[in-house]
Amino acid sequence: MVQATTPTFVMTLPGSVDPEDIAHIYFSLVQNTVNIMKTGEDITIDGQSVYATLAQVDTVRLIPGAAKIQLNWTYPNGSRACSQIVQINITENLLKEVVE
């Protein structure tokens, strides 16, 4: 992923998870002290695939190097589950600002 861009991450829910049973879902990207969390309209579920889109204002805060991503979700009864943590690589963008 390149810093200062608008990537869409695609993660796959475990086959044992029925997306219809999920009450809320959260996407997290963490790098050092930067913690980006998306939920609601920023996430789309299509079958077992979960799509999370980040904005320039989110990714401009990242620095080149490793970052981690993960999904968490809750069920109507209040129980919570999560995916495995996945490490990704952030690469440099020479234009390190939000542009239109």
Side-chain angles (χ1 to χ4, degrees):
M1 190 219 110
V2 180
Q3 66 184 162
T5 62
T6 55
T8 297
F9 291 93
V10 182
M11 299 182 75
T12 304
L13 292 168
S16 61
V17 175
D18 182 349
E20 296 292 323
D21 293 339
I22 294 175
H24 302 282
I25 192 161
Y26 307 87
F27 170 88
S28 297
L29 185 152
V30 175
Q31 184 191 52
N32 301 322
T33 60
V34 176
N35 187 351
I36 300 168
M37 195 268 296
K38 296 294 179 178
T39 192
E41 294 179 6
D42 294 320
I43 295 181
T44 303
I45 302 175
D46 183 13
Q48 297 302 110
S49 298
V50 178
Y51 301 84
T53 301
L54 302 184
Q56 290 181 68
V57 70
D58 297 320
T59 64
V60 76
R61 301 174 9 203
L62 302 172
I63 60 172
K68 296 177 182 178
I69 59 175
Q70 183 180 42
L71 291 175
N72 277 263
W73 59 91
T74 60
Y75 295 100
N77 67 3
S79 63
R80 175 178 173 175
C82 66
S83 69
Q84 295 294 319
I85 295 171
V86 176
Q87 186 166 306
I88 63 167
N89 190 47
I90 310 298
T91 57
E92 182 179 25
N93 188 329
L94 296 179
L95 184 57
K96 294 175 182 64
E97 61 186 69
V98 176
V99 295
E100 291 186 31

